[in-house]
Amino acid sequence: MSDDAATQANQTLTVRDNRTGNEYEIAIADGTIKAADLAQIRTSEEEPGLATYDPGFVNTASCKSAVTFIDGDKGILEYRGYPIEQLAEKSNFLEVAYLLIHGELPSKQQYDSWVHEITYHTFVHENVKGFMQGFRYDAHPMGMLMASVGALSTFYPESGNISDPDNRHIQIVRMIAKMPTLGAWAFRHAQGKPYIYPDNELGYTANFLSMLFKMSEQRFEADERLVKALDVLFILHADHEQNASTNAVRSVGSTQVDPYSAVAAGVGALFGPLHGGANEAVLRMLRRIGSKENIPSFIEGVKNGNERLMGFGHRVYKNYDPRAKIIKQAAMDVFEVTGTNPLLDIALELEKIALEDEYFVKRKLYPNVDFYSGLIYEAFQFPPEMFTVLFAIGRTPGWLAQWLELVQDKEQKIARPKQIYTGPRTLDFTPAAQRWA
Ligand code: CMC
C-alpha cells in the first residue's frame, strides 16, 4: 500500500512530538511502520531525526521474507507454507532443501536433477583436506567448520558474482553438498581417524553417517531407522526465520560478498552457547538430576529461581515447540535401535511434572527443540561439540534460502544500524612522547 492509500484507509499512526507540538502521520503496513519515516520528526533542521533504539532487534523487522512462518502462540512452524509436521513425516531433507531454496516443491524431474547435483558435489578440493589437517588435534569442530566453509570462497572465486542466477545456483548446490563432508572431517580430525571420502551411492544423510563412522569395511550402511531420524532432525533445523545466525548471514550477505563468507558468519553465530548450545546444557542437567526421585527437589529449585529448566521455554513459542513433539518421537525410534538412555526416563518424568505444574503453565513454558535432541545425538555417540555441527548442516539450506531472498530483494540495503554515541567528544590529542614524558 502506498503512503497515500494508507492515509485514506486509516492505516496510519499519528504521532505528536511534545517537544515541538508537531504532529506526524505515519503509514502502517503489515503491522509495522518504516523506521525511516520517523526521521522526519526533529526539533530543528540541525538535529538528527528521531530513530528507534532496539538492541537485539526484539521489535524490529529487518526484512520481508516468504521462507518461514512461525506463530509462537499457536506453536506453528511452516516452511514455504507447509507445516513442519507434514514435512518431517512425509518428505526428506533434500526435498525440503529444494523447497526452501526454490519456494515450491519439485517435480519428479526437478527432484532427481537436484539430488544428482548435490550428490556429485559432495567432494571437496584435495587442498581443503590438507587445510583441515593443519588444525590442532583438539580443534573444536565448529571452529574447523566455520574456517573451512569460509575457505571455500577461495576455491570458487567466481562465487563473488552474486548477480548471476546460474552462478548463485551452483554455489548453493556446492555448499549444501559439501557441508556434511566438512562436518564429518572435523569430527574425524578430533578422533585422529582418517578422513573418509563421500560415497555417492548413498543418500545424503546415509553418506554423512558413512563419512563419520566408516572404518575398514567396504561400505558403511547405517541402520535405516537411524538415517531417517537424523534426516528428520536436519529437516527440523532447516530454517527458523530471522534467528541470530540467519541474521548474521543476511547482515554479512548484505555487503554483496560471496555466499561462503556469508554462511561462515552464520556458522560463527550458531557456535555461541545462546544459540546452538542449549541441548548440551539439557544433557548436563539430566545427568545432575541423576534419578527420578530427585526431580521434585530440582523443580523446587527452578521455581525458587535458583536455576532454569533447560530445554524449556522459548522467546517465540509460548506453546509446545512443534519441533519438540517430532523430536520426542524420533528419540523413541532411535532408542529402539541403540537401546534406551537412562536419561530419557528422567526427561519424560521431568516433562510430565513440569507440564502440570502451575509455575510452568502460568509462564507458558513448554519443551523446546533442544529438550530431546541432545539425547538423540548422544545415542548416535556424538560428542557434545558435534551437536552444533549437526545443527549447522541442517540449517545450511535455510541460510542459503534467506541469502538468495536477500540478494534479490530490491528493498534491501547494506546492514548498517545506527548507534547512540555515549563516549567523549573533541578531545585534544597529545603525542605519546609528550604524554609519557
Ligand atoms: N526454566 C524456568 N523458568 C523459566 C525458563 C526455564 N527454562 N524459561 C523462562 N522462565 C521464566 C523466567 O524466569 C520468567 O519468569 P518471571 O516472569 O517470574 O521472571 C518467565 O519464565 C519469562 O522468561 P524470560 O527469560 O523473560 O523469557 P525469554 O523469552 O527471554 O527467554 C529462553 C527464552 C529460551 C532464553 C528461556 O526460556 C530459557 O532460558 N530457556 C532455557 C534455555 C533453553 O532451553 N534454550 C533453548 C531455546 S530453543 C533454541 C532455538 O530455537 O534456537
Side-chain angles (χ1 to χ4, degrees):
M1 193 186 296
S2 71
D3 289 1
D4 285 348
T7 308
Q8 272 172 20
N10 263 352
Q11 293 295 310
T12 59
L13 177 75
T14 302
V15 180
R16 183 167 190 280
D17 184 347
N18 291 326
R19 298 169 303 176
T20 59
N22 293 340
E23 279 197 1
Y24 304 85
E25 200 171 358
I26 294 173
I28 299 176
D30 303 315
T32 60
I33 57 165
K34 286 191 194 135
D37 284 351
L38 297 176
Q40 60 183 307
I41 304 176
R42 56 176 80 210
T43 48
S44 70
E45 280 304 310
E46 296 76 48
E47 287 296 311
L50 200 66
T52 57
Y53 176 57
D54 189 6
F57 298 127
V58 292
N59 196 27
T60 297
S62 63
C63 61
K64 292 177 182 163
S65 179
V67 181
T68 289
F69 174 80
I70 300 178
D71 183 331
D73 290 331
K74 299 199 179 107
I76 295 173
L77 169 62
E78 293 169 0
Y79 297 158
R80 301 285 190 184
Y82 292 97
I84 191 69
E85 293 82 359
Q86 293 184 24
L87 294 172
E89 192 192 333
K90 299 176 190 160
S91 186
N92 64 58
F93 181 63
L94 282 192
E95 189 180 37
V96 168
Y98 184 100
L99 172 69
L100 285 167
I101 300 290
H102 295 87
E104 51 193 36
L105 290 169
S107 66
K108 168 96 177 79
Q109 199 193 2
Q110 287 166 329
Y111 176 75
D112 289 345
S113 124
W114 174 247
V115 172
H116 179 85
E117 276 190 294
I118 303 273
T119 306
Y120 284 88
H121 282 92
T122 48
F123 278 72
V124 293
H125 191 289
E126 198 61 10
N127 288 3
V128 173
K129 187 173 159 196
F131 167 77
M132 291 185 80
Q133 280 167 332
F135 279 93
R136 248 179 73 140
Y137 66 96
D138 59 352
H140 195 291
M142 274 300 270
M144 290 182 70
L145 186 68
M146 177 168 47
S148 49
V149 173
L152 289 183
S153 75
T154 67
F155 290 86
Y156 306 108
E158 75 282 8
S159 61
N161 182 10
I162 61 163
S163 55
D164 174 13
D166 293 340
N167 183 45
R168 290 195 299 249
H169 174 78
I170 186 65
Q171 311 312 335
I172 286 173
V173 166
R174 281 186 175 134
M175 225 175 312
I176 295 173
K178 294 180 199 311
M179 211 64 167
T181 312
L182 301 177
W185 286 6
F187 172 74
R188 302 284 292 202
H189 183 83
Q191 305 198 327
K193 291 181 180 161
Y195 297 3
I196 302 294
Y197 288 103
D199 180 344
N200 286 348
E201 296 300 309
L202 297 174
Y204 186 86
T205 304
N207 170 48
F208 177 53
L209 287 169
S210 160
M211 290 189 289
L212 288 163
F213 298 120
K214 184 172 184 293
M215 289 307 290
S216 59
E217 61 273 51
Q218 274 296 341
R219 165 158 296 149
F220 181 90
E221 282 180 271
D223 188 295
E224 268 309 308
R225 290 165 294 177
L226 294 183
V227 175
K228 171 71 186 156
L230 191 54
D231 205 71
V232 166
L233 278 158
F234 285 156
I235 293 175
L236 298 182
H237 285 96
D239 198 52
H240 213 228
E241 50 121 302
Q242 305 311 314
N243 55 85
S245 57
T246 301
N247 182 55
V249 171
R250 279 186 175 261
S251 190
V252 172
S254 77
T255 66
Q256 301 191 351
V257 74
D258 68 87
Y260 300 100
S261 303
V263 167
V267 177
L270 191 65
F271 196 178
L274 288 187
H275 193 357
N279 45 16
E280 196 185 328
V282 173
L283 281 183
R284 276 201 304 273
M285 174 189 77
L286 294 175
R287 267 200 196 97
R288 201 157 43 82
I289 296 173
S291 77
K292 285 202 236 174
E293 297 76 66
N294 298 332
I295 293 177
S297 63
F298 172 79
I299 293 272
E300 268 322 295
V302 171
K303 284 158 60 172
N304 293 336
N306 301 336
E307 55 189 319
R308 289 211 153 187
L309 173 51
M310 298 309 288
F312 260 65
H314 198 277
R315 171 61 63 79
V316 178
Y317 295 115
K318 301 301 169 199
N319 202 321
Y320 213 105
D321 179 339
R323 300 168 300 173
K325 273 192 203 142
I326 304 166
I327 287 197
K328 189 174 171 183
Q329 185 51 51
M332 303 302 172
D333 298 345
V334 167
F335 290 138
E336 249 179 48
V337 184
T338 62
T340 189
N341 182 335
L343 298 180
L344 176 68
D345 291 338
I346 302 175
L348 288 169
E349 184 67 13
L350 198 54
E351 178 187 339
K352 189 165 152 273
I353 293 177
L355 289 179
E356 286 165 0
D357 192 296
E358 208 218 319
Y359 174 94
F360 298 92
V361 174
K362 209 172 98 197
R363 290 172 178 76
K364 300 186 176 170
L365 299 172
Y366 294 88
N368 61 48
V369 69
D370 289 319
F371 193 65
Y372 289 102
S373 62
L375 285 172
I376 302 187
Y377 296 150
E378 199 170 64
F380 274 90
Q381 302 191 333
F382 286 119
E385 310 84 77
M386 273 301 284
F387 293 2
T388 329
V389 172
L390 301 168
F391 192 157
I393 294 171
R395 184 55 56 88
T396 299
W399 285 333
L400 291 167
Q402 302 267 352
W403 170 79
L404 196 57
E405 190 173 63
L406 164 96
V407 298
Q408 296 177 95
D409 183 347
K410 300 262 183 302
E411 288 184 11
Q412 281 298 317
K413 292 180 185 307
I414 184 168
R416 204 307 185 185
K418 277 182 154 348
Q419 64 164 11
I420 300 172
Y421 180 69
T422 59
R425 295 281 324 279
T426 55
L427 304 179
D428 270 331
F429 178 76
T430 316
Q434 270 173 263
R435 288 195 328 269
W436 298 339

